[in-house]
Amino acid sequence: MTTRPEHARPATLADGDPWLIVGAGALGQLFAAALAPTHPVILLGRRPAPPAIRLRTLEGRDRQIALPRGQLNDWADRPAGNEAPALAILATKSHDAQAALDALAPRLAPATPLLLLQNGFRSQPDITERWAGPVLCASTTEAAYRPGPDPDSLLPDVVHAATGQTWIGDLAARHRALAASVAERLTRAGITAAPCRDIRQRLWQKLAINAVINPLTASHRVRNGELAAPRFRPRIVALVAEIAQIMQAEGVLPPDAGWQALIDAVIEATAANRSSMLQDVLAGRPTERDAILGPLIEAGRRHGLEVATIDALYRTTPR
């Protein structure tokens, strides 16, 4: 990686240039399936896959969406030339983001804009500092999950469990026009998106939601909506109280209705969804425990706050 140079950066994206999506998890497939009918997109994953995505829509209908797919290593090793993307979307897990970018970097123009879809607040600052081109970050409440491996070939590749809002911006607030261009393209594709002047606030707010829902659903192997059961209430309330203290110390504004109401609303709105951490546990993959809970624990210690409930959750959450 190179140090960020002081050169002019693109303000908008050309209409016809392809977007590259790296990471064929639930969110990567959802974004690819939404974009493909109206915009050229290439989806890269770790394994071979047919050139289509089977998407189960919010209405419960299955759609087959054709699009180019490939493996990350094969694409990274291809000769330089065609298929230079106008935008590279990193939809990998947080702990895989830097390695994926390192593999792609030799085949990307140095000024290629990135869009980061990672949970937590680990990879975004690091990649923003190291990548030469613009780095946009996204905070999204779109909910999707993969049904998991099954011999039944009629299962979809990804299920769109709940619609939401996607905010896009960069940590230095220098690329608002680019963020607006990306948001407009996503909205046109059916993913409601808007540029955001302070994406850090949105990322911390999403982190607060993820820090409650992801570890609890993964530890207890339940869908999001089951967290509304009375048996989870005392622990959720204790977690939210500690998270609220951390956010105040970090200068992150609470939502209008307060942190508890926000998290309760997300649990209700995404009741049918399997959190990303639960999907990882069920598939035997490493979780994003460190990316989601780590920043809260570090911030709590930095500000001298008591975060015993978050500490205990960290210790009991699958790695």
Side-chain angles (χ1 to χ4, degrees):
M1 294 295 152
T2 57
T3 304
R4 182 178 302 279
E6 295 301 322
H7 55 64
R9 295 178 174 88
T12 58
L13 299 174
D15 274 340
D17 294 335
W19 288 9
L20 185 68
I21 300 180
V22 184
L27 204 57
Q29 290 195 67
L30 178 65
F31 273 56
L35 285 162
T38 60
H39 188 82
V41 61
I42 302 164
L43 177 62
L44 301 182
R46 290 179 174 176
R47 300 175 182 85
I53 291 174
R54 294 168 296 174
L55 170 71
R56 182 159 295 169
T57 67
L58 291 166
E59 299 76 25
R61 293 192 295 268
D62 287 355
R63 295 178 56 200
Q64 183 101 344
I65 300 168
L67 76 162
R69 299 187 64 169
Q71 291 179 261
L72 173 59
N73 290 339
D74 290 345
W75 196 90
D77 290 340
R78 70 180 175 83
N82 295 329
E83 295 183 335
L87 175 73
I89 301 177
L90 295 186
T92 65
K93 296 296 182 183
S94 179
H95 46 260
D96 292 328
Q98 188 63 62
L101 183 56
D102 288 344
L104 288 175
R107 292 291 175 257
L108 295 178
T112 301
L114 305 179
L115 175 62
L116 308 182
L117 299 185
Q118 281 67 44
N119 284 325
F121 197 55
R122 277 267 196 260
S123 56
Q124 296 91 336
D126 291 344
I127 292 176
T128 295
E129 179 64 28
R130 298 182 67 189
W131 185 245
V135 178
L136 302 177
C137 305
S139 173
T140 184
T141 55
E142 293 285 345
Y145 66 90
R146 291 183 291 174
D150 194 289
D152 183 357
S153 62
L154 297 179
L155 280 175
D157 296 311
V158 62
V159 177
H160 192 185
T163 191
Q165 172 74 40
T166 300
W167 292 273
I168 298 174
D170 67 285
L171 294 176
R174 293 188 296 177
H175 303 295
R176 184 168 173 80
L178 178 62
S181 180
V182 173
E184 188 277 332
R185 195 73 48 80
L186 288 172
T187 299
R188 196 191 311 169
I191 296 175
T192 304
C196 177
R197 290 189 181 277
D198 190 352
I199 194 63
R200 178 179 176 274
Q201 291 271 338
R202 293 291 184 183
L203 290 170
W204 274 103
Q205 287 184 358
K206 179 67 182 298
L207 182 63
I209 296 167
N210 283 338
V212 174
I213 293 177
N214 272 273
L216 289 178
T217 55
S219 298
H220 295 275
R221 301 195 175 204
V222 297
R223 293 181 187 245
N224 292 7
E226 295 181 59
L227 296 182
R231 68 188 178 106
F232 291 110
R233 194 64 183 175
R235 198 171 188 192
I236 290 176
V237 170
L239 284 169
V240 171
E242 291 184 1
I243 290 169
Q245 288 185 324
I246 293 169
M247 295 300 172
Q248 183 177 13
E250 283 289 315
V252 178
L253 298 175
D256 293 339
W259 293 110
Q260 188 69 63
L262 171 67
I263 291 166
D264 290 344
V266 173
I267 289 172
E268 180 181 359
T270 64
N273 193 42
R274 296 173 185 162
S275 73
S276 60
M277 195 176 285
L278 174 59
Q279 293 178 62
D280 290 336
V281 168
L282 295 177
R285 296 187 297 260
T287 73
E288 292 181 296
R289 181 187 71 163
D290 289 340
I292 291 174
L293 293 175
L296 290 171
I297 292 171
E298 291 164 6
R301 290 172 180 163
R302 189 165 60 247
H303 296 291
L305 300 173
E306 176 63 41
V307 292
T309 309
I310 298 174
D311 274 329
L313 183 63
Y314 178 86
R315 290 193 300 271
T316 58
T317 297
R319 296 184 178 182

